Amino acid sequence: DAGVIQSPRHEVTEMGQEVTLRCKPISGHDYLFWYRQTMMRGLELLIYFNNNVPIDDSGMPEDRFSAKMPNASFSTLKIQPSEPRDSAVYFCASSGTGHEKLFFGSGTQLSVL
Amino acid sequence: DQQVKQNSPSLSVQEGRISILNCDYTNSMFDYFLWYKKYPAEGPTFLISISSIKDKNEDGRFTVFLNKSAKHLSLHIVPSQPGDSAVYFCAASGNAGNMLTFGGGTRLMVKP
């Protein structure tokens, strides 16, 4: 298996623009997670899905953030409008066993100028 | 409030010596603990885990120790190798259905 695939690897955008991050989980995994890594907060969970249904989005920082999982093989995280403080590395992860052994993608490095 | 803390942001060790990475937690409901390793420009990868019914789990050069009374766990790497240089994240989860909570990470540098 190719593992969790995220795109793009790097995204540079200007404040106010819409940003869409994409993720393809490992086939057969029922859980999908979006994490954000920053120097200040480390790895923080934004939202997770089980069988394509959002279960907990309490980590989503603001209404500017939204996530969807239209099918078992694709998810998006959208930021609209983006702000400089959104600059971080965003990771997608999937798991077949729940919350424990997660398989992470390589991340998207987002820079909002 | 950080429920999982890694108080040492970085650690430098000589090749061949022991590396000890520490992690403290505050939530007594946590019953499963994991360590992940992260190289630059890559996502974290699972390294080793331990259930709260154990106090030690070993996998090759890696051993995780759990002290429930102190709410403390540690990862020992013996002997340390330059390829072990990475950021190590401690993580914990509670009852089934609860999500993983990660610590802030410790950057390990193993010098040749």
Side-chain angles (χ1 to χ4, degrees), chain A residues 58-89:
Chain A
S58 59
M60 297 284 260
E62 300 171 32
D63 291 345
R64 298 184 296 107
F65 286 68
S66 63
K68 294 182 180 179
M69 192 166 185
N71 57 62
S73 59
F74 184 66
S75 177
T76 60
L77 178 67
K78 186 176 293 186
I79 308 172
Q80 165 64 20
S82 58
E83 297 183 2
R85 59 193 167 121
D86 302 330
S87 298
V89 181

PDB file of all heavy atoms in Angstrom, chain A residues 58-89:
ATOM      1  N   SER A  58     -14.202  19.158  17.757  1.00  0.00           N
ATOM      2  CA  SER A  58     -13.985  20.153  18.812  1.00  0.00           C
ATOM      3  C   SER A  58     -12.607  20.807  18.725  1.00  0.00           C
ATOM      4  O   SER A  58     -12.381  21.863  19.302  1.00  0.00           O
ATOM      5  CB  SER A  58     -14.161  19.520  20.192  1.00  0.00           C
ATOM      6  OG  SER A  58     -13.253  18.449  20.372  1.00  0.00           O
ATOM      7  N   GLY A  59     -11.699  20.203  17.996  1.00  0.00           N
ATOM      8  CA  GLY A  59     -10.370  20.782  17.838  1.00  0.00           C
ATOM      9  C   GLY A  59     -10.262  21.776  16.705  1.00  0.00           C
ATOM     10  O   GLY A  59      -9.229  22.452  16.575  1.00  0.00           O
ATOM     11  N   MET A  60     -11.278  21.898  15.916  1.00  0.00           N
ATOM     12  CA  MET A  60     -11.259  22.865  14.808  1.00  0.00           C
ATOM     13  C   MET A  60     -11.250  24.257  15.412  1.00  0.00           C
ATOM     14  O   MET A  60     -12.160  24.631  16.162  1.00  0.00           O
ATOM     15  CB  MET A  60     -12.479  22.678  13.908  1.00  0.00           C
ATOM     16  CG  MET A  60     -12.500  21.320  13.230  1.00  0.00           C
ATOM     17  SD  MET A  60     -11.337  21.223  11.872  1.00  0.00           S
ATOM     18  CE  MET A  60     -12.436  21.466  10.487  1.00  0.00           C
ATOM     19  N   PRO A  61     -10.229  25.057  15.096  1.00  0.00           N
ATOM     20  CA  PRO A  61     -10.042  26.305  15.817  1.00  0.00           C
ATOM     21  C   PRO A  61     -11.152  27.334  15.599  1.00  0.00           C
ATOM     22  O   PRO A  61     -11.504  28.044  16.529  1.00  0.00           O
ATOM     23  CB  PRO A  61      -8.696  26.817  15.313  1.00  0.00           C
ATOM     24  CG  PRO A  61      -8.418  26.069  14.065  1.00  0.00           C
ATOM     25  CD  PRO A  61      -9.153  24.801  14.125  1.00  0.00           C
ATOM     26  N   GLU A  62     -11.667  27.437  14.417  1.00  0.00           N
ATOM     27  CA  GLU A  62     -12.673  28.463  14.146  1.00  0.00           C
ATOM     28  C   GLU A  62     -13.566  28.021  13.004  1.00  0.00           C
ATOM     29  O   GLU A  62     -13.298  27.017  12.347  1.00  0.00           O
ATOM     30  CB  GLU A  62     -11.964  29.783  13.749  1.00  0.00           C
ATOM     31  CG  GLU A  62     -11.041  30.349  14.792  1.00  0.00           C
ATOM     32  CD  GLU A  62     -10.223  31.503  14.244  1.00  0.00           C
ATOM     33  OE1 GLU A  62     -10.711  32.235  13.363  1.00  0.00           O
ATOM     34  OE2 GLU A  62      -9.084  31.662  14.697  1.00  0.00           O
ATOM     35  N   ASP A  63     -14.614  28.803  12.788  1.00  0.00           N
ATOM     36  CA  ASP A  63     -15.524  28.501  11.678  1.00  0.00           C
ATOM     37  C   ASP A  63     -14.831  28.622  10.325  1.00  0.00           C
ATOM     38  O   ASP A  63     -15.371  28.162   9.317  1.00  0.00           O
ATOM     39  CB  ASP A  63     -16.734  29.432  11.716  1.00  0.00           C
ATOM     40  CG  ASP A  63     -17.626  29.132  12.913  1.00  0.00           C
ATOM     41  OD1 ASP A  63     -17.452  28.040  13.505  1.00  0.00           O
ATOM     42  OD2 ASP A  63     -18.465  29.980  13.247  1.00  0.00           O
ATOM     43  N   ARG A  64     -13.682  29.214  10.306  1.00  0.00           N
ATOM     44  CA  ARG A  64     -12.955  29.335   9.033  1.00  0.00           C
ATOM     45  C   ARG A  64     -12.472  27.971   8.543  1.00  0.00           C
ATOM     46  O   ARG A  64     -12.133  27.801   7.384  1.00  0.00           O
ATOM     47  CB  ARG A  64     -11.764  30.275   9.190  1.00  0.00           C
ATOM     48  CG  ARG A  64     -12.125  31.701   9.577  1.00  0.00           C
ATOM     49  CD  ARG A  64     -10.891  32.595   9.624  1.00  0.00           C
ATOM     50  NE  ARG A  64      -9.938  32.190  10.653  1.00  0.00           N
ATOM     51  CZ  ARG A  64      -8.775  31.597  10.426  1.00  0.00           C
ATOM     52  NH1 ARG A  64      -8.417  31.325   9.169  1.00  0.00           N
ATOM     53  NH2 ARG A  64      -7.977  31.281  11.424  1.00  0.00           N
ATOM     54  N   PHE A  65     -12.419  27.022   9.474  1.00  0.00           N
ATOM     55  CA  PHE A  65     -11.946  25.674   9.152  1.00  0.00           C
ATOM     56  C   PHE A  65     -13.145  24.754   8.929  1.00  0.00           C
ATOM     57  O   PHE A  65     -14.101  24.761   9.704  1.00  0.00           O
ATOM     58  CB  PHE A  65     -11.109  25.103  10.301  1.00  0.00           C
ATOM     59  CG  PHE A  65      -9.741  25.700  10.429  1.00  0.00           C
ATOM     60  CD1 PHE A  65      -9.555  27.013  10.818  1.00  0.00           C
ATOM     61  CD2 PHE A  65      -8.620  24.928  10.159  1.00  0.00           C
ATOM     62  CE1 PHE A  65      -8.283  27.563  10.936  1.00  0.00           C
ATOM     63  CE2 PHE A  65      -7.336  25.451  10.285  1.00  0.00           C
ATOM     64  CZ  PHE A  65      -7.182  26.777  10.680  1.00  0.00           C
ATOM     65  N   SER A  66     -13.064  23.950   7.880  1.00  0.00           N
ATOM     66  CA  SER A  66     -14.092  22.943   7.640  1.00  0.00           C
ATOM     67  C   SER A  66     -13.436  21.714   7.029  1.00  0.00           C
ATOM     68  O   SER A  66     -12.408  21.807   6.366  1.00  0.00           O
ATOM     69  CB  SER A  66     -15.181  23.479   6.709  1.00  0.00           C
ATOM     70  OG  SER A  66     -14.645  23.796   5.436  1.00  0.00           O
ATOM     71  N   ALA A  67     -14.016  20.555   7.277  1.00  0.00           N
ATOM     72  CA  ALA A  67     -13.476  19.303   6.735  1.00  0.00           C
ATOM     73  C   ALA A  67     -14.617  18.441   6.230  1.00  0.00           C
ATOM     74  O   ALA A  67     -15.712  18.449   6.792  1.00  0.00           O
ATOM     75  CB  ALA A  67     -12.676  18.551   7.788  1.00  0.00           C
ATOM     76  N   LYS A  68     -14.316  17.719   5.164  1.00  0.00           N
ATOM     77  CA  LYS A  68     -15.302  16.818   4.589  1.00  0.00           C
ATOM     78  C   LYS A  68     -14.661  15.487   4.250  1.00  0.00           C
ATOM     79  O   LYS A  68     -13.452  15.404   4.019  1.00  0.00           O
ATOM     80  CB  LYS A  68     -15.898  17.423   3.308  1.00  0.00           C
ATOM     81  CG  LYS A  68     -16.723  18.671   3.530  1.00  0.00           C
ATOM     82  CD  LYS A  68     -17.314  19.182   2.223  1.00  0.00           C
ATOM     83  CE  LYS A  68     -18.146  20.438   2.442  1.00  0.00           C
ATOM     84  NZ  LYS A  68     -18.710  20.956   1.166  1.00  0.00           N
ATOM     85  N   MET A  69     -15.503  14.470   4.204  1.00  0.00           N
ATOM     86  CA  MET A  69     -15.045  13.157   3.746  1.00  0.00           C
ATOM     87  C   MET A  69     -16.164  12.565   2.897  1.00  0.00           C
ATOM     88  O   MET A  69     -17.021  11.839   3.412  1.00  0.00           O
ATOM     89  CB  MET A  69     -14.689  12.259   4.922  1.00  0.00           C
ATOM     90  CG  MET A  69     -13.947  11.011   4.494  1.00  0.00           C
ATOM     91  SD  MET A  69     -13.180  10.153   5.873  1.00  0.00           S
ATOM     92  CE  MET A  69     -12.294   8.875   4.973  1.00  0.00           C
ATOM     93  N   PRO A  70     -16.198  12.906   1.628  1.00  0.00           N
ATOM     94  CA  PRO A  70     -17.301  12.483   0.767  1.00  0.00           C
ATOM     95  C   PRO A  70     -17.330  10.983   0.497  1.00  0.00           C
ATOM     96  O   PRO A  70     -18.400  10.443   0.187  1.00  0.00           O
ATOM     97  CB  PRO A  70     -17.059  13.274  -0.523  1.00  0.00           C
ATOM     98  CG  PRO A  70     -15.607  13.623  -0.506  1.00  0.00           C
ATOM     99  CD  PRO A  70     -15.235  13.772   0.936  1.00  0.00           C
ATOM    100  N   ASN A  71     -16.188  10.328   0.623  1.00  0.00           N
ATOM    101  CA  ASN A  71     -16.156   8.874   0.451  1.00  0.00           C
ATOM    102  C   ASN A  71     -14.981   8.310   1.238  1.00  0.00           C
ATOM    103  O   ASN A  71     -14.183   9.069   1.817  1.00  0.00           O
ATOM    104  CB  ASN A  71     -16.075   8.491  -1.029  1.00  0.00           C
ATOM    105  CG  ASN A  71     -14.870   9.101  -1.717  1.00  0.00           C
ATOM    106  OD1 ASN A  71     -13.733   8.820  -1.366  1.00  0.00           O
ATOM    107  ND2 ASN A  71     -15.128   9.953  -2.702  1.00  0.00           N
ATOM    108  N   ALA A  72     -14.855   7.002   1.248  1.00  0.00           N
ATOM    109  CA  ALA A  72     -13.868   6.337   2.096  1.00  0.00           C
ATOM    110  C   ALA A  72     -12.432   6.578   1.665  1.00  0.00           C
ATOM    111  O   ALA A  72     -11.503   6.243   2.397  1.00  0.00           O
ATOM    112  CB  ALA A  72     -14.149   4.838   2.130  1.00  0.00           C
ATOM    113  N   SER A  73     -12.236   7.136   0.474  1.00  0.00           N
ATOM    114  CA  SER A  73     -10.876   7.276  -0.027  1.00  0.00           C
ATOM    115  C   SER A  73     -10.438   8.718  -0.196  1.00  0.00           C
ATOM    116  O   SER A  73      -9.402   8.999  -0.802  1.00  0.00           O
ATOM    117  CB  SER A  73     -10.735   6.546  -1.369  1.00  0.00           C
ATOM    118  OG  SER A  73     -11.641   7.064  -2.318  1.00  0.00           O
ATOM    119  N   PHE A  74     -11.190   9.666   0.364  1.00  0.00           N
ATOM    120  CA  PHE A  74     -10.833  11.058   0.129  1.00  0.00           C
ATOM    121  C   PHE A  74     -11.386  11.963   1.227  1.00  0.00           C
ATOM    122  O   PHE A  74     -12.534  11.835   1.651  1.00  0.00           O
ATOM    123  CB  PHE A  74     -11.378  11.499  -1.233  1.00  0.00           C
ATOM    124  CG  PHE A  74     -10.983  12.899  -1.633  1.00  0.00           C
ATOM    125  CD1 PHE A  74      -9.655  13.225  -1.895  1.00  0.00           C
ATOM    126  CD2 PHE A  74     -11.937  13.897  -1.762  1.00  0.00           C
ATOM    127  CE1 PHE A  74      -9.290  14.502  -2.267  1.00  0.00           C
ATOM    128  CE2 PHE A  74     -11.590  15.181  -2.143  1.00  0.00           C
ATOM    129  CZ  PHE A  74     -10.269  15.486  -2.395  1.00  0.00           C
ATOM    130  N   SER A  75     -10.536  12.903   1.654  1.00  0.00           N
ATOM    131  CA  SER A  75     -10.975  13.901   2.622  1.00  0.00           C
ATOM    132  C   SER A  75     -10.306  15.228   2.296  1.00  0.00           C
ATOM    133  O   SER A  75      -9.202  15.262   1.737  1.00  0.00           O
ATOM    134  CB  SER A  75     -10.613  13.472   4.043  1.00  0.00           C
ATOM    135  OG  SER A  75     -10.972  14.471   4.976  1.00  0.00           O
ATOM    136  N   THR A  76     -10.976  16.313   2.654  1.00  0.00           N
ATOM    137  CA  THR A  76     -10.407  17.642   2.469  1.00  0.00           C
ATOM    138  C   THR A  76     -10.515  18.437   3.763  1.00  0.00           C
ATOM    139  O   THR A  76     -11.435  18.252   4.553  1.00  0.00           O
ATOM    140  CB  THR A  76     -11.130  18.432   1.356  1.00  0.00           C
ATOM    141  OG1 THR A  76     -12.515  18.567   1.701  1.00  0.00           O
ATOM    142  CG2 THR A  76     -10.998  17.749   0.017  1.00  0.00           C
ATOM    143  N   LEU A  77      -9.547  19.302   3.948  1.00  0.00           N
ATOM    144  CA  LEU A  77      -9.567  20.289   5.025  1.00  0.00           C
ATOM    145  C   LEU A  77      -9.461  21.648   4.359  1.00  0.00           C
ATOM    146  O   LEU A  77      -8.508  21.897   3.622  1.00  0.00           O
ATOM    147  CB  LEU A  77      -8.403  20.068   5.994  1.00  0.00           C
ATOM    148  CG  LEU A  77      -8.277  21.076   7.142  1.00  0.00           C
ATOM    149  CD1 LEU A  77      -9.446  20.937   8.117  1.00  0.00           C
ATOM    150  CD2 LEU A  77      -6.953  20.878   7.897  1.00  0.00           C
ATOM    151  N   LYS A  78     -10.435  22.488   4.609  1.00  0.00           N
ATOM    152  CA  LYS A  78     -10.491  23.782   3.940  1.00  0.00           C
ATOM    153  C   LYS A  78     -10.390  24.904   4.958  1.00  0.00           C
ATOM    154  O   LYS A  78     -10.978  24.834   6.057  1.00  0.00           O
ATOM    155  CB  LYS A  78     -11.797  23.905   3.149  1.00  0.00           C
ATOM    156  CG  LYS A  78     -11.909  25.145   2.283  1.00  0.00           C
ATOM    157  CD  LYS A  78     -13.193  25.133   1.476  1.00  0.00           C
ATOM    158  CE  LYS A  78     -13.193  24.046   0.439  1.00  0.00           C
ATOM    159  NZ  LYS A  78     -14.380  24.112  -0.454  1.00  0.00           N
ATOM    160  N   ILE A  79      -9.638  25.923   4.608  1.00  0.00           N
ATOM    161  CA  ILE A  79      -9.520  27.118   5.439  1.00  0.00           C
ATOM    162  C   ILE A  79      -9.938  28.311   4.572  1.00  0.00           C
ATOM    163  O   ILE A  79      -9.355  28.570   3.529  1.00  0.00           O
ATOM    164  CB  ILE A  79      -8.081  27.338   5.953  1.00  0.00           C
ATOM    165  CG1 ILE A  79      -7.542  26.067   6.621  1.00  0.00           C
ATOM    166  CG2 ILE A  79      -8.046  28.503   6.940  1.00  0.00           C
ATOM    167  CD1 ILE A  79      -6.063  26.144   6.994  1.00  0.00           C
ATOM    168  N   GLN A  80     -10.959  29.005   5.019  1.00  0.00           N
ATOM    169  CA  GLN A  80     -11.472  30.127   4.244  1.00  0.00           C
ATOM    170  C   GLN A  80     -12.094  31.166   5.179  1.00  0.00           C
ATOM    171  O   GLN A  80     -13.097  30.861   5.835  1.00  0.00           O
ATOM    172  CB  GLN A  80     -12.506  29.641   3.220  1.00  0.00           C
ATOM    173  CG  GLN A  80     -13.372  30.710   2.594  1.00  0.00           C
ATOM    174  CD  GLN A  80     -12.595  31.709   1.758  1.00  0.00           C
ATOM    175  OE1 GLN A  80     -11.474  31.443   1.335  1.00  0.00           O
ATOM    176  NE2 GLN A  80     -13.174  32.878   1.521  1.00  0.00           N
ATOM    177  N   PRO A  81     -11.553  32.374   5.252  1.00  0.00           N
ATOM    178  CA  PRO A  81     -10.313  32.831   4.646  1.00  0.00           C
ATOM    179  C   PRO A  81      -9.101  32.442   5.502  1.00  0.00           C
ATOM    180  O   PRO A  81      -9.218  32.301   6.720  1.00  0.00           O
ATOM    181  CB  PRO A  81     -10.484  34.350   4.647  1.00  0.00           C
ATOM    182  CG  PRO A  81     -11.317  34.610   5.869  1.00  0.00           C
ATOM    183  CD  PRO A  81     -12.236  33.429   6.008  1.00  0.00           C
ATOM    184  N   SER A  82      -7.982  32.285   4.875  1.00  0.00           N
ATOM    185  CA  SER A  82      -6.768  31.912   5.614  1.00  0.00           C
ATOM    186  C   SER A  82      -6.148  33.141   6.272  1.00  0.00           C
ATOM    187  O   SER A  82      -6.318  34.277   5.799  1.00  0.00           O
ATOM    188  CB  SER A  82      -5.762  31.229   4.685  1.00  0.00           C
ATOM    189  OG  SER A  82      -5.424  32.086   3.607  1.00  0.00           O
ATOM    190  N   GLU A  83      -5.429  32.885   7.384  1.00  0.00           N
ATOM    191  CA  GLU A  83      -4.750  33.936   8.130  1.00  0.00           C
ATOM    192  C   GLU A  83      -3.314  33.484   8.408  1.00  0.00           C
ATOM    193  O   GLU A  83      -3.055  32.273   8.459  1.00  0.00           O
ATOM    194  CB  GLU A  83      -5.473  34.234   9.442  1.00  0.00           C
ATOM    195  CG  GLU A  83      -6.881  34.775   9.250  1.00  0.00           C
ATOM    196  CD  GLU A  83      -7.556  35.127  10.573  1.00  0.00           C
ATOM    197  OE1 GLU A  83      -6.897  34.982  11.628  1.00  0.00           O
ATOM    198  OE2 GLU A  83      -8.733  35.560  10.537  1.00  0.00           O
ATOM    199  N   PRO A  84      -2.401  34.436   8.633  1.00  0.00           N
ATOM    200  CA  PRO A  84      -0.999  34.057   8.893  1.00  0.00           C
ATOM    201  C   PRO A  84      -0.846  33.076  10.048  1.00  0.00           C
ATOM    202  O   PRO A  84       0.026  32.202  10.021  1.00  0.00           O
ATOM    203  CB  PRO A  84      -0.325  35.400   9.188  1.00  0.00           C
ATOM    204  CG  PRO A  84      -1.119  36.385   8.377  1.00  0.00           C
ATOM    205  CD  PRO A  84      -2.544  35.892   8.444  1.00  0.00           C
ATOM    206  N   ARG A  85      -1.697  33.178  11.070  1.00  0.00           N
ATOM    207  CA  ARG A  85      -1.571  32.270  12.223  1.00  0.00           C
ATOM    208  C   ARG A  85      -1.990  30.838  11.898  1.00  0.00           C
ATOM    209  O   ARG A  85      -1.830  29.940  12.745  1.00  0.00           O
ATOM    210  CB  ARG A  85      -2.400  32.775  13.398  1.00  0.00           C
ATOM    211  CG  ARG A  85      -3.891  32.935  13.118  1.00  0.00           C
ATOM    212  CD  ARG A  85      -4.551  33.732  14.236  1.00  0.00           C
ATOM    213  NE  ARG A  85      -5.887  34.162  13.886  1.00  0.00           N
ATOM    214  CZ  ARG A  85      -6.965  33.827  14.582  1.00  0.00           C
ATOM    215  NH1 ARG A  85      -6.857  33.067  15.640  1.00  0.00           N
ATOM    216  NH2 ARG A  85      -8.155  34.255  14.220  1.00  0.00           N
ATOM    217  N   ASP A  86      -2.520  30.611  10.710  1.00  0.00           N
ATOM    218  CA  ASP A  86      -2.837  29.250  10.277  1.00  0.00           C
ATOM    219  C   ASP A  86      -1.599  28.534   9.743  1.00  0.00           C
ATOM    220  O   ASP A  86      -1.662  27.322   9.465  1.00  0.00           O
ATOM    221  CB  ASP A  86      -3.911  29.264   9.184  1.00  0.00           C
ATOM    222  CG  ASP A  86      -5.191  29.945   9.628  1.00  0.00           C
ATOM    223  OD1 ASP A  86      -5.496  29.896  10.843  1.00  0.00           O
ATOM    224  OD2 ASP A  86      -5.873  30.536   8.783  1.00  0.00           O
ATOM    225  N   SER A  87      -0.517  29.253   9.608  1.00  0.00           N
ATOM    226  CA  SER A  87       0.720  28.648   9.089  1.00  0.00           C
ATOM    227  C   SER A  87       1.175  27.529  10.026  1.00  0.00           C
ATOM    228  O   SER A  87       1.351  27.742  11.228  1.00  0.00           O
ATOM    229  CB  SER A  87       1.809  29.707   8.953  1.00  0.00           C
ATOM    230  OG  SER A  87       1.431  30.705   8.028  1.00  0.00           O
ATOM    231  N   ALA A  88       1.340  26.339   9.476  1.00  0.00           N
ATOM    232  CA  ALA A  88       1.663  25.154  10.271  1.00  0.00           C
ATOM    233  C   ALA A  88       1.851  23.987   9.309  1.00  0.00           C
ATOM    234  O   ALA A  88       1.680  24.130   8.096  1.00  0.00           O
ATOM    235  CB  ALA A  88       0.532  24.833  11.251  1.00  0.00           C
ATOM    236  N   VAL A  89       2.171  22.843   9.872  1.00  0.00           N
ATOM    237  CA  VAL A  89       2.162  21.605   9.090  1.00  0.00           C
ATOM    238  C   VAL A  89       0.879  20.857   9.433  1.00  0.00           C
ATOM    239  O   VAL A  89       0.592  20.628  10.616  1.00  0.00           O
ATOM    240  CB  VAL A  89       3.381  20.712   9.378  1.00  0.00           C
ATOM    241  CG1 VAL A  89       3.332  19.450   8.509  1.00  0.00           C
ATOM    242  CG2 VAL A  89       4.675  21.470   9.134  1.00  0.00           C
TER     243      VAL A  89
END
